[in-house]
Amino acid sequence: MNTTPSPVPPKHCADCVLRRQPGFTSVTPEQLACIESFRADITRVRAGQAVVPEHRASARLFTLYSGWAFRHKSLADGRRQILNFLLPGDLIGLQAEFIDEATHGVEALTDVQLCVFPQDRLWALFQQQPQLGYDLTWLCASEEQLVDENLVTVGRRSAAERIAMLLIHLWRRAERVGLTGDDGGIDFPLTQQHIADALGLSLVHTNKTLRKLERLALHEIRTGRLRLIEPQALERLADYYTRPLRRVPLL
């Protein structure tokens, strides 16, 4: 059953649809009350607008409640590398707590709704709820693992392997947070340019490779939705045999 969250976060964290998803770890009532007291606001960002401007310090953390976003770095001539895509439940902005400015930008891929947390209260959260502090540390380690996998993808996988890897990974993450529909597919707002920027490919090479994979009937992207037709074949192609995704903390 598709349990996509409503566009606007609820007033109380106990009513959060994301927390009902089996892909997130559970919290105690005391921890939930602490998270709710930590949340300062909710905000909406339109598609194409910055959630976190690149190279600019931010005093806020965000949990993406609904919609898609992506982290990116840009070069002086405008070339862009998408570092990863962000789905509901993902935490945004934690790196800025430990450095002077954001080393990357975050842009809304679709209209997004976010829960807002002040960074200057982060240490108090660690002190009051050490388990939540550990959860945030775990999220940082998980990001590091993702960077390792992305480095292997860009450095060693072929174009077809890269795209297969991306499709599987995003579909599985979307499934974990309840974004699959009755047709087994997910909303897929990425353009070919987004895919090219994420995988270090030219737009022409991305287009040719996607058409090649479509001819193999391993997946289908139609009217903004992705459906995996032969997921095991895509796994073999990408050399990406993963265990079930473990549950992740939700702030």
Side-chain angles (χ1 to χ4, degrees):
M1 180 179 179
N2 186 2
T3 52
T4 302
S6 62
V8 181
K11 180 178 179 181
H12 299 293
C13 293
D15 298 324
C16 176
V17 173
L18 291 176
R19 294 194 179 278
R20 304 173 195 169
Q21 294 300 325
F24 294 107
T25 56
S26 60
V27 294
T28 67
E30 293 76 17
Q31 289 169 340
L32 191 61
C34 183
I35 292 171
E36 185 167 318
S37 67
F38 183 38
R39 187 176 72 170
D41 198 2
I42 60 175
T43 189
R44 179 186 184 187
V45 179
R46 297 278 190 179
Q49 300 299 308
V51 177
V52 178
E54 195 171 6
H55 303 304
R56 189 180 304 173
S58 174
R60 301 186 297 177
L61 301 170
F62 305 91
T63 292
L64 182 58
Y65 180 76
S66 62
W68 290 51
F70 60 88
R71 293 196 306 120
H72 66 92
K73 287 181 69 72
S74 301
L75 299 179
D77 62 2
R79 286 176 294 165
R80 178 180 69 181
Q81 177 68 47
I82 291 179
L83 304 173
N84 71 318
F85 294 96
L86 302 167
L87 275 64
D90 286 343
L91 184 65
I92 300 170
L94 188 59
Q95 288 179 334
E97 170 67 14
F98 305 104
I99 52 179
D100 293 333
E101 64 179 19
T103 60
H104 59 266
V106 177
E107 182 178 313
L109 182 58
T110 66
D111 289 354
V112 299
Q113 291 278 350
L114 307 109
C115 297
V116 184
F117 304 91
Q119 281 195 5
D120 59 8
R121 293 183 56 199
L122 188 61
W123 178 238
L125 180 72
F126 274 68
Q127 292 177 311
Q128 295 169 17
Q129 294 291 340
Q131 180 60 52
L132 294 180
Y134 175 84
D135 288 345
L136 293 178
T137 303
W138 186 92
L139 288 172
C140 287
S142 180
E143 281 287 328
E144 182 178 357
Q145 182 183 21
L146 180 61
V147 169
D148 291 346
E149 192 64 52
N150 288 345
L151 182 59
V152 173
T153 294
V154 175
R156 292 300 178 186
R157 286 187 170 99
S158 68
E161 291 167 343
R162 295 182 200 186
I163 291 177
M165 165 79 176
L166 180 68
L167 297 179
I168 295 168
H169 183 67
L170 289 178
W171 188 91
R172 295 179 74 239
R173 287 178 57 202
E175 180 189 38
R176 179 171 61 184
V177 297
L179 298 183
T180 50
D182 294 336
D183 62 351
I186 63 169
D187 286 339
F188 195 72
L190 281 65
T191 66
Q192 290 188 11
Q193 187 64 65
H194 291 123
I195 294 173
D197 288 349
L199 300 178
L201 300 171
S202 70
L203 187 57
V204 171
H205 201 175
T206 299
N207 178 272
K208 290 181 178 179
T209 306
L210 278 169
R211 286 189 293 168
K212 174 184 175 182
L213 292 178
E214 288 171 355
R215 287 196 296 269
L216 294 174
L218 303 183
H219 78 285
E220 177 184 74
I221 299 175
R222 183 174 299 174
T223 62
R225 289 188 64 77
L226 165 66
R227 189 167 63 92
L228 303 188
I229 300 172
E230 295 288 348
Q232 292 182 337
L234 277 172
E235 287 184 349
R236 289 193 297 270
L237 175 61
D239 193 16
Y240 182 61
Y241 303 96
T242 58
R243 295 183 296 273
L245 295 178
R246 62 179 289 180
R247 298 198 300 166
V248 298
L250 174 64
L251 186 63

